[in-house]
């Protein structure tokens, strides 16, 4: 009966999230009942969507309840099983939360998925070959639906979603332009992730400057934009969008903390006859097999080589998460738990 | 060789459009060459899109050139023909502009369309069974795509587009909620156009009040919104939108005059997983036959009985147009030219 360190949401942020919103506790894992398995987590995934869950206000999913283990994707290994379909040693992906172990009712559809680590490292099932990868796939393939030769722009370019988007868009013959914070990230985006150009938003901190940078980076205009950020970058993209451009709205990090960030000139949606569509990947489970197949192939063949930022130990999760919200991570943010 | 009174765009508006932007001139109609016909206009259509054309700035279509006849849809009668496909007396729809006569190269595809006035009055081919009707059809059928029982909201509800939208949405089993200015228009919307409810935006002039009114008018939330106006009404609709709601962006009247009107909280597009799509009906000519067939049937069977506001004589066009931009018209705004 292993001891299980857990991180709970203790109270909701007022404005910016802080470490004091979380609380570390230690419990014993309960004994298993029929159908259950005990999973020891190897990695916990930290993702921007978690910030939205911390608010009480209406968001695109239920609020994270206070006093409960923070929601989160995990990969790990079955260490005890009362379910004939799972054996000790099986590698599994699930939503284990911010804790070292989870007891899972493995009969529940979608609760656990066995994965093969022959060609894909276990941690990548939380990134490129997991939820962030499928997020990039859905936005690109189902909303932006680019033709070869079109220009696709993505913000938060070196994150887990942006990295996958670059590989997927290059595979479709697109020009891919990233937006990231700082020269190191931009260099990495171009040299390792395959972006044609990467714009440093720290050098272009207002609408006019970003709009000019986009004009240079996208000489044929913008046909698709994958929105991870919100704020003035979206305003700038609208100024450079071609007729019939598509915007996949996946995240609006910049607005989570406080007041909503307005869109300055929504009439451009009409002027450019654009489509702006929001989505959550968990509502489109039907595409996961196709998307994971392509993403696994891109990783297996070395066409997608995502970096990871790894924090050590569950106690480090809150600080790593707050850093992620500020763009301090470099690639997919994980917490290693073994 | 009849004398032809014309209205030219003399200079571009600075801020609000005024009568001094236009200039009335009289010319002789030129002699016809082979393939041409001379059309005497019975009615000129006045439409909000014309305001956008008056600006020099990038809009969704080319600017109206200075010193040329204002663009506009017309219905009329062939009075002279050098084209074997058109006979004197034929009733035709075209883009004759703000003038009493036009010389049309009838060989050019789409330049003229013969219409049948047995069941549909000629003027309606500029409204319910013309461009505004097809605009409503496209936004409703191709973008909002409502299911029976869903709630569809339209701003500028008693205008040519809104009237057609109500009939089309009722035919699909929707709850249809209009937004219009003043008690007379709201009464007309419910009693004659078939709206389930109509909200008077003069009584609800800010976001909070409009949002409350929409909540009452749409007890099951909003599934589709046909946007003719922009500004705080769109903000209010986003607050009441259901998951997967669709917004067809057809017009942003409120923003034409001056500064862009921001969208206060675009993150709601993500929160509600919405689709917001702009369109211009002239780019979707493939749907016109199907749309006109349904609209003609609705008018022919009395299910769509649009009102018209009719100004008399071409010299009255500028004032009628400026009134339209301020919502002074009641139903489709026309200028009678005979």
């Amino acid at each position: 009966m292993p001891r299980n360190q857990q991180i709970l949401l203790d109270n909701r942020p007022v404005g910016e999230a802080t470490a004091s919103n979380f609380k570390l506790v230690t419990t014993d894992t309960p004994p298993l009942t029929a159908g259950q398995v005990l999973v020891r987590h190897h990695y916990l995934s930290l993702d921007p969507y978690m910030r939205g869950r911390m608010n009480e206000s209406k968001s695109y999913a239920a609020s994270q309840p206070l006093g409960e283990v923070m929601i989160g994707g995990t990969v790990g290994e079955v260490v005890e099983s009362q379910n004939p379909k799972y054996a000790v040693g099986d590698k599994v992906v699930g939503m284990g939360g911010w804790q070292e172990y989870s007891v899972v009712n493995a009969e529940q559809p979608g609760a656990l998925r066995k994965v093969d680590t022959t060609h894909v490292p276990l941690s990548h099932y939380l990134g490129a070959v997991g939820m962030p990868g499928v997020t990039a796939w859905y936005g690109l393939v189902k909303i932006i639906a680019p033709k070869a030769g079109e220009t696709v722009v993505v913000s938060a370019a070196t994150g887990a979603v942006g990295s996958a988007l670059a590989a997927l868009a290059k595979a479709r013959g697109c020009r891919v332009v990233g937006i990231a914070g700082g020269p190191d990230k931009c260099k990495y985006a171009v040299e390792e992730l395959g972006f044609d150009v990467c714009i440093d938003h720290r050098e272009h901190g207002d609408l006019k400057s970003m709009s000019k940078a986009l004009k240079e980076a996208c000489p044929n205009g913008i046909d698709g934009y994958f929105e991870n950020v919100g704020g003035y970058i979206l305003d700038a993209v609208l100024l450079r969008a071609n007729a019939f451009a598509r915007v996949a709205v996946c995240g609006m990090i910049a607005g989570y903390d406080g007041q909503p960030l307005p869109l300055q000139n929504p009439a451009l949606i009409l002027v450019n006859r654009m489509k702006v569509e929001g989505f959550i990947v968990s509502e489109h489970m039907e595409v996961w097999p196709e998307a994971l197949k392509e993403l696994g192939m891109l990783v297996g063949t070395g066409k997608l080589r995502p970096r990871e930022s790894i924090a050590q130990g569950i106690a480090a999760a809150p600080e790593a998460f707050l850093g992620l919200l500020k763009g301090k991570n470099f690639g997919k943010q994980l917490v290693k738990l073994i």
Side-chain angles (χ1 to χ4, degrees), chain A:
Chain A
M1 203 157 301
R3 298 284 284 171
N4 183 22
Q5 291 198 93
Q6 306 175 310
I7 292 186
L8 316 181
L9 182 64
D10 187 58
N11 54 79
R12 301 197 187 278
V14 180
E16 202 169 315
T18 66
S20 65
N21 299 134
F22 303 99
K23 186 178 172 183
L24 179 69
V25 299
T26 304
T27 58
D28 291 321
T29 57
L32 301 187
T33 60
Q36 291 184 330
V37 302
L38 180 66
V39 181
R40 181 174 186 190
H41 301 154
H42 290 205
Y43 293 94
L44 161 68
S45 176
L46 295 177
D47 300 276
Y49 77 84
M50 295 164 172
R51 178 62 188 82
R53 302 292 184 97
M54 292 172 74
N55 289 342
E56 189 151 28
S57 59
K58 182 186 177 190
S59 183
Y60 50 78
S63 280
Q64 163 74 41
L66 287 177
E68 293 190 12
V69 176
M70 277 290 294
I71 190 175
T74 47
V75 289
E77 180 179 3
V78 173
V79 291
E80 208 186 312
S81 177
Q82 292 288 338
N83 188 306
K85 292 181 203 140
Y86 291 85
V88 169
D90 282 350
K91 299 294 189 296
V92 289
V93 181
M95 291 297 286
W98 295 27
Q99 56 184 338
E100 294 173 310
Y101 290 85
S102 61
V103 172
V104 183
N105 176 2
E107 294 298 318
Q108 195 182 314
L112 276 188
R113 184 165 54 89
K114 277 194 240 189
V115 293
D116 180 352
T117 53
T118 318
H119 300 291
V120 174
L122 183 58
S123 62
H124 283 19
Y125 286 107
L126 293 176
V129 193
M131 188 271 283
V134 180
T135 299
W137 192 96
Y138 188 90
L140 185 75
V141 175
K142 293 296 181 181
I143 296 178
I144 297 175
K147 296 191 198 78
E150 287 194 329
T151 298
V152 175
V153 176
V154 58
S155 51
T158 62
V161 176
S163 307
L165 191 109
L168 293 165
K170 287 313 288 181
R172 283 159 179 77
C174 297
R175 179 177 177 82
V176 193
V177 174
I179 301 172
D184 291 349
K185 284 186 179 174
C186 284
K187 190 164 181 282
Y188 164 63
V190 172
E191 291 181 0
E192 292 186 47
L193 295 176
F195 282 94
D196 292 288
V197 185
C198 186
I199 298 170
D200 183 352
H201 62 72
R202 292 186 196 160
E203 304 257 313
H204 303 283
D206 59 47
L207 175 58
K208 196 176 166 192
S209 173
M210 178 56 76
S211 167
K212 192 159 168 283
L214 281 169
K215 189 176 186 181
E216 279 165 27
C218 309
N220 299 320
I222 298 170
D223 302 294
Y225 177 52
F226 193 101
E227 171 64 287
N228 281 313
V229 173
Y232 77 101
I233 296 179
L234 179 55
D235 288 319
V237 165
L238 260 59
L239 288 174
R240 298 297 169 201
N242 289 330
F244 310 112
R246 294 80 66 194
V247 176
V249 183
C250 163
M252 293 246 173
I253 298 182
Y256 284 147
D257 275 342
Q259 289 303 305
L261 285 176
L263 181 66
Q264 294 303 335
N265 193 359
L268 292 171
I269 295 171
L270 173 57
V271 169
N272 299 323
R273 292 88 85 204
M274 296 175 69
K275 182 176 78 171
V276 180
E277 189 167 346
F279 73 103
I280 320 178
V281 72
S282 57
E283 291 179 331
H284 303 280
M285 294 311 294
E286 73 286 356
V287 309
W288 282 57
E290 184 185 354
L292 289 174
K293 192 176 161 194
E294 182 176 357
L295 292 158
M297 199 118 69
L298 288 170
V299 168
T301 58
K303 286 179 183 159
L304 170 51
R305 288 178 301 174
R307 268 204 219 178
E308 296 169 335
S309 282
I310 301 182
Q312 182 60 49
I314 190 71
E319 285 303 341
F321 175 65
L322 299 173
L324 168 76
L325 295 179
K326 297 194 163 152
K328 289 187 184 163
N329 60 310
F330 208 119
K332 173 67 197 169
Q333 180 68 56
L334 298 169
V335 183
K336 194 162 191 288
L337 299 173
I338 55 167

